[in-house]
Amino acid sequence: MSLIVMKFGGSSVGSPERMQRVASRIIERQQEGNKIVVVVSAMGDTTDDLIDQSKLLNPNPPAREMDMLLTTGEQISIALLSMTIQAQGGKAVSFTGWQAGIRTESVHAKAKITDIRPERIFKELDQDQVVIVAGFQGMSEEGDITTLGRGGSDTTAVALAAAIKADLCEIYTDVDGVYSTDPRVVKNARKLDEISYDEMLELAHLGAAVLHPRAVEYAKHYNVCLVVRSSFTKNEGTYVKEEAVMEQGIAVRGIAFDKNVARITILGVEDEPGVLAHVFGALAEVGIDVDIIVQSGVLDGKADFSFTVSGEDKAKAIEVIESIRTRVPYRETSSEDGLVKVSIVGAGMVSNPGVAATMFEAISSLGVSIKMVSTSEIKCSCVISGDQLNEVVRSLHTAFGLDTAEHAFVGGPQERR
């Protein structure tokens, strides 16, 4: 007998027919002799519809009330799924996040889990119930309902698996595993049998949408056995684990890309200690994530540097930079939209010299200029114009032997939460 957490995203339960198929799959897993905890997202476009309704009534709704509103989407899903399982002859009980014992920070819209008290879950499992938990939500110590932000249901599933010491955490989605790159871009992208936590974490951060980075961080920290598989087929999925089998001669496991990148450049800054701390501290205070940072040479005591942010954060970031000009004098700023970040990832890169050179050559062979570069032991990222992204990804896929490799990596379409 195994204790298994099964997570289903919004598209997996997006219609009555899909809900029935998911219920049958859950019952089948339980009848194999397993104890089952299920985490579910809101159905289909429910969350988007709720957001649209709120904006019709209040263009700037309070974060607390938005959490109160959005968590109803998951409550609908868990109740309907429980009813469906019971209609098919199974036993099931549904819990909201707070009923399941999930405690979070006192932050709305992007709270982090601080504790899970799973006593009620264990009690129901002992009664042979399938326990269905609403993803994406919890409760603060003050008693307020909170949401976990993007990827919250993935995070809920992995955190629950860690708290109850589950033998396996299955993430069901609309693709049958993790691929060498997006199959919509490269038709012969290959599915991986397994991938390491570190490789998956890099790819998730770099744009692969099949798993959320925070969920992978939880899995790595608590050594949760994680598998990504399709809710529409019985195909074997991709296992995410501490160490994955490396294929001989394959340095790069996969290619990820982020289509929503903006570059901001600050020109003529005094070259003195503390300048960068002032700039990026101010950006951090308003919650803007900065990615790649490049400082150019110093001339006459003045330096130029550039950094990237998400496209949505560009305008706000420029406002912040302008607001600190009295503390950090500079000559001028400039910005550029329509950029993408394309990245290669692989644990084998550290022991294979020439990987970056191969990447640069594959990109330049298409006449594409590289604007910024960032590297680590297992990844190399290039910021380029977005006009030829698909051609660049295909070129890199071929250059690193992923067209013919039996094992490769990255994501497909992302489930809703």
Side-chain angles (χ1 to χ4, degrees), residues 111-183:
K112 293 182 179 179
I113 295 172
T114 57
D115 186 28
I116 297 180
R117 304 164 191 174
E119 293 82 6
R120 198 169 179 186
I121 292 175
F122 285 129
K123 179 180 177 181
E124 296 297 338
L125 288 173
D126 288 341
Q127 301 299 316
D128 295 325
Q129 297 270 14
V130 171
V131 178
I132 305 171
V133 179
F136 178 63
Q137 60 187 248
M139 178 175 284
S140 70
E141 291 299 332
E142 291 78 19
D144 282 331
I145 294 171
T146 56
T147 61
L148 308 182
R150 183 184 172 196
S153 289
D154 283 355
T155 304
T156 299
V158 178
L160 273 175
I164 66 176
K165 295 181 169 53
D167 299 289
L168 182 64
C169 181
E170 300 176 331
I171 305 294
Y172 287 86
T173 180
D174 42 14
V175 292
D176 59 356
V178 181
Y179 281 75
S180 55
T181 196
D182 191 333

Side-chain angles (χ1 to χ4, degrees), residues 158 161-162 166 168-169 197 218-226 240-241:
V158 178
L168 182 64
C169 181
Y197 291 131
Y218 266 103
K220 176 178 171 61
H221 183 75
Y222 294 103
N223 198 29
V224 173
C225 184
L226 192 61
V240 185
K241 54 201 296 188

Side-chain angles (χ1 to χ4, degrees), residues 266-270 302-304 325 328-333:
I266 305 179
L267 303 171
V269 180
E270 293 290 339
K302 305 287 186 181
D304 304 334
R325 193 166 189 173
V328 184
Y330 56 84
R331 187 171 73 252
E332 62 178 303
T333 63

Side-chain angles (χ1 to χ4, degrees), residues 285-358:
E285 285 178 3
V286 296
I288 294 177
D289 290 325
V290 175
D291 188 14
I292 300 174
I293 304 171
V294 175
Q295 180 171 331
S296 34
V298 178
L299 181 64
D300 297 329
K302 305 287 186 181
D304 304 334
F305 64 90
S306 301
F307 58 93
T308 61
V309 297
S310 71
E312 290 90 350
D313 286 338
K314 188 196 78 169
K316 188 176 181 181
I318 291 174
E319 287 181 12
V320 171
I321 298 304
E322 291 174 348
S323 72
I324 62 171
R325 193 166 189 173
T326 55
R327 285 189 292 154
V328 184
Y330 56 84
R331 187 171 73 252
E332 62 178 303
T333 63
S334 64
S335 62
E336 187 174 4
D337 292 309
L339 304 179
V340 297
K341 180 177 65 177
V342 61
S343 307
I344 57 173
V345 173
M349 290 173 57
V350 68
S351 57
N352 284 272
V355 171
T358 300

